[in-house]
Amino acid sequence: MSKEKDDNYWRERLTEEEFRVCREAGTERPFSGEYWDHFEDGTYRCRCCGEPLFHSSSKFDAGCGWPSFHSEVEKGAIEERVDNSLGMRRIEILCANCGSHLGHVFPDGPAPTGLRYCVNSLSVKHDPDEDAD
């Protein structure tokens, strides 16, 4: 899938709120998303293109109200870029495959990486592990 899809392509495939978060770098309210307190085994995939981004084994409760992970599913799944919006400097995270906005990464996570990938629930879909009970 290409990062070159236009807004019309995504508007036809996403809800208005998903489009706002995924394609316009919006943020859902804390403690409001489907996955902030979801801890079932599985893979969290990009809502837009379906690429695997995070595994449940790296998910942790950061107490921030958004799904948080300490590691991407594999190196290169996540793209980072500087975000100077809202009067602060942050690192935005995007799906490396399609460019969908996921959230931000912060250097206050647990071992083994010390990172906290703070993700909007609307940016991902949980895919249960096939061998889970």
Side-chain angles (χ1 to χ4, degrees):
M1 178 146 323
S2 170
K3 292 182 189 179
E4 306 305 318
K5 304 288 185 191
D6 68 10
D7 284 352
N8 290 331
Y9 175 88
W10 294 115
R11 284 186 197 280
E12 291 174 5
R13 288 157 178 78
L14 301 170
T15 67
E16 185 176 322
E17 193 65 6
E18 290 167 349
F19 183 86
R20 183 185 70 78
V21 169
C22 296
R23 308 317 301 182
E24 298 179 326
T27 301
E28 61 195 12
R29 290 184 335 274
F31 305 102
S32 68
E34 179 179 8
Y35 299 123
W36 76 270
D37 64 348
H38 180 265
F39 288 94
E40 293 177 24
D41 287 343
T43 301
Y44 290 84
R45 297 178 175 276
C46 176
R47 185 166 301 267
C48 292
C49 71
E51 283 293 304
L53 301 172
F54 304 99
H55 192 270
S56 59
S57 61
S58 74
K59 192 168 190 295
F60 67 99
D61 183 359
C64 63
W66 290 279
S68 297
F69 304 86
H70 62 68
S71 305
E72 57 193 302
V73 73
E74 65 180 42
K75 190 75 173 156
I78 304 297
E79 183 177 307
E80 297 181 4
R81 77 172 165 213
V82 175
D83 174 5
N84 289 315
S85 66
L86 304 177
M88 63 183 106
R89 183 178 178 90
R90 300 178 292 173
I91 303 298
E92 179 184 13
I93 53 174
L94 305 102
C95 172
N97 187 58
C98 74
S100 178
H101 171 78
L102 304 171
H104 293 85
V105 62
F106 301 97
D108 60 2
T113 65
L115 299 175
R116 173 174 54 101
Y117 291 91
C118 186
V119 177
N120 290 288
S121 290
L122 287 170
S123 297
V124 293
K125 287 184 184 176
H126 179 260
D127 185 12
D129 283 341
E130 292 180 15
D131 58 352
D133 292 334

